Amino acid sequence: MHAITRAALLLGTMWLASPTLARDDGRYANSPLKSWFESLHSDFGPCCSDADGYFVADPDWESDHGHYRVHLDDEWVVVPDEAVVTEPNKVGRTMVWKHYIDGHPRVRCFMPGSMS
């Protein structure tokens, strides 16, 4: 194998193996709710921004006496009480900010919606 081919393979492998970090790419820069989203936090810390959160359809989350679970990536995940955002929901829809541990989704922040 030529040195150039090996270098290209190595660079491609490093790019594919590097972690992808959530970031605000600027598409919501003019949103009137941008500063509100950026202020959201749970007991786990800042939720980040609307660009990092996902809307959750009503069939994909459940509430039972103030405890929640949400369907993420084909798994039902229990929402830790510490992940629940207690601030009023200005968008009305359920949102979740997730991360992964051992390849499984976990909830960093969860903001329940109105279930309408």
Side-chain angles (χ1 to χ4, degrees), residues 25-104:
D25 60 9
R27 73 183 119 169
Y28 301 107
N30 296 320
S31 169
L33 294 177
K34 182 174 177 48
S35 62
W36 174 75
F37 272 111
E38 290 176 343
S39 73
L40 293 176
H41 66 279
S42 70
D43 288 349
F44 293 136
C47 299
C48 289
S49 71
D50 54 340
D52 301 321
Y54 298 89
F55 288 111
V56 180
D58 288 346
D60 291 328
W61 70 284
E62 299 175 340
S63 172
D64 183 28
H65 296 90
H67 300 282
Y68 302 96
R69 66 184 203 135
V70 63
H71 195 241
L72 299 172
D73 303 339
D74 297 323
E75 293 182 41
W76 280 100
V77 179
V78 172
V79 175
D81 291 341
E82 298 84 8
V84 177
V85 175
T86 57
E87 190 153 336
N89 185 337
K90 290 186 178 184
V91 293
R93 295 177 61 192
T94 302
M95 290 191 74
V96 65
W97 289 259
K98 62 183 179 177
H99 65 279
Y100 293 87
I101 297 177
D102 296 330
H104 296 280

